[in-house]
Amino acid sequence: MSDDTIAWMNELTAEMEERRKRIERGGGEARIKKQHDANKMTARERIDYLLDEGSFVELGVFTEHLGGDMMKGVEAPGEGVVAGYGQIDGRTVFIFSQDFTVLGGSLGKMHAQKIAKVMDLAVKTGAPIIGLNDSAGARIQEGVDSLSGYGEVFYRNAIYSGVVPQISAILGPCAGGAVYSPAITDFVLMSRGSSYMFITGPEVIKSVTKEEVSFEELGGADVHNRKSGVAHLEAEGDQAVLELIRELLSYLPQSAKEKPPLLNSRDPVNRETPEVLSIVHPDQRRPYHMHEVIKVMVDDQHFFEIQPEFAKNIICGFAHLGGQSVGIVANNPRFMAGTLNIDASDKAARFIRTCDCFNIPILTFVDVTGFLPGVAQEHSGIIRHGAKMLYAYAEASVPKITLITRKSYGGAYLAMNSRDMGADVVLAWPTSAVAVMGAEGAANIIYRREINSSDNPEAIRAAKIAEYKKNFDNPYSAAARGYIDDVIDPKDTRRQLIRHLRMLSDKTESRPYKKHGNIPL
Ligand code: HXC
C-alpha cells in the first residue's frame, strides 16, 4: 500500500477515534461533575464497576438522535444511553446504562432502539438483560416518537418476560410512564437517597389533589421497598446496588432454557442442624425468627433475601443448598404471627413465579395460622390476592419441597404448598400440627353445645381442647393420610432437604395445553 493510502487510512482511524472520544465524554465535564456531586456514578463508570474488568463491548456507539425541528443543533452523544454486552463472573450479560449527563438521560426514539437492540440480542443468545436507569423520562422535544420508543421497550419487557432474567437498577429519576419498563422486569433495585419512581410528580400531585410531598417521600427507595412493594432490593449508593446485581445473578440461570449454576460449596451436605432446637419453641404461641431457621439450613448460612422490608410476615429469597440454587418462601411468626395478608400473598406469588420461570426449585417453610382476618383485608380483596399464591404454587413445575416447622392451618395450609397443591415432598418436624384451625377455636365450634350446657363449661372446654390437640394438633394424622411424607428430626433437616433436592433435580412435569393461564390479578 502506498504511503498516501496509509496516511489516508490513519486519518480516517484518527477521526473515528476522535468521534468515539467525544461520545465517551457524554454531556461534558460540568455535567459529569454535577453527577458526581450528587453521589452518582456516570453511565460508563457504572458499567465498568458492574462487569468483569475489561469485558464490556459497546454497541451502537455512533447512534444519533432522530432529528426534528426541536432537536436542530442539539448534540446528544451516544443518544444518552450506553449499551452493549460483557461478563459477570465469566457469564455473558447484556446491558444498557442511561447517561443523565446527556439531555438528562431522556429517552428519544433512537435511544430506545439502542436498548431494544441489546434486549433482542439477549434473547437471541440466551443471556440476562440489565438496565441501569437514570433518566428524566420521555424526551419532550421528540414528542410522540419518544413515546413510541418507550412502547418498543415495554413490548420487549413483556414478550421477553420469563425468557431471560431482566434486572432493573433505578439509580436516578424514573418518572411518568417510564416506570413501567422496570415494573415489568423480574427485579427492581433502588439506590437509597438518589433514586425515585413515580407516575406523577410532586408538582402535578399538588395541583390536582393539593397534597404536598417531596420526591423522596413520594417515590424514594424507602417507599418502594417498604410500602408499595414495587422494588425488590435497595442499597446505599450506586456501587452497593451494582454489587447486589452481581450476587443476584449468581442464583439465576442465563435463560429459561438452562438451570442455575451449581456452586462448589464447602459446607458439608450432612451437617447436623441442632441449632434449630433452641430457635423454634414447641409452644405455638412463642414467636421466633424464621430467618434464623433458614440460615442454619443453607450453605454457609448465607441467605439472599428479596423484598426484606416489604410484607415481613412472609420471607422470600435465594440461597444455595448443597451447591444448588433454591428459592425459599417462609412464614415469619415474628411478624403478624406469620399470617398471610394481601401484601404477603402478592410478594410470595410473584417470587414463586420468578423461581418457576428460571428453573429454581422452591423450598417452603411453613408456620402459619391462616389468612389475616379483618374487614379491610376482605374489602381490599384478600380473596383475589390469596388466590395468586395458590395459583402460583400449583402452576410451578419446578421441584417443590415443603417443610412444616410448627403449625399449618386451614386455607393457609393449602396456600403454603401443601401436598394437594403440588408439593413433591412434604416434611414435618415433630413440633408441627396440621389442622383446619387451632385446637381452641376448633373445640369452641364443634363442642359448643356440650360446653354451654355443662355445669362446668371451662373444664369441659379444656378437656375438649386437649382431646382435639391429641387427635389433630400433631403431624401424625396428616402423615397417616399421606399428606406428609416424613416426620423428621429437626437436627437432620439440612441433609434431608439436600437429599430430596438432588432426587428431584431432573424432575419434569407437564401441563395440559393452554395458550396461557389466567392468574387472578
Ligand atoms: C429532554 C430533558 C428532560 C426531558 C430534563 N431534560 N428533562 N430533556 N426531555 N424530559 C434536560 C434538561 O433540560 C437539562 O439539560 C438536563 O436534562 C438535566 O435536567 P435538570 O433539570 O437540569 O436536572 P435536575 O435538576 O437534576 O432535575 C432532573 C429532573 C428534571 C427532576 C428529572 O429535569 C425534570 O423534572 N425533568 C422533566 C421530567 C419530565 O416531566 N419528563 C417527562 C415525564 S412524562 P441541560 O442541557 O441543561 O443539561 C414521561 C412519559 C413517559 O416520561 C411515557 C411512557 C409511556
Side-chain angles (χ1 to χ4, degrees), residues 31 34 100-101 103-106 135-141 147 150 154 173 175-178 196 215:
R31 292 191 185 89
K34 201 174 156 198
F100 194 81
T101 70
L103 301 176
S106 58
S135 165
R139 186 173 299 152
I140 296 162
Q141 300 90 322
L147 297 183
Y150 272 117
F154 297 175
Y196 51 83
F215 280 63

Side-chain angles (χ1 to χ4, degrees), residues 214-279:
S214 69
F215 280 63
E216 190 62 32
E217 288 163 346
L218 183 62
D222 245 16
V223 170
H224 291 307
N225 282 277
R226 281 161 189 75
K227 285 191 186 156
S228 72
V230 166
H232 299 88
L233 289 163
E234 63 183 326
E236 211 66 52
D238 292 5
Q239 293 191 351
V241 172
L242 299 171
E243 281 158 21
L244 283 176
I245 294 178
R246 288 185 70 98
E247 173 158 15
L248 178 57
L249 283 167
S250 72
Y251 299 98
L252 305 176
Q254 290 292 89
S255 76
K257 288 188 183 152
E258 295 180 20
K259 289 184 179 176
L262 276 174
L263 284 197
N264 270 331
S265 169
R266 296 230 181 101
D267 197 347
V269 168
N270 291 332
R271 174 168 58 79
E272 290 209 328
T273 52
E275 304 91 321
V276 292
L277 299 174
S278 55
I279 300 171

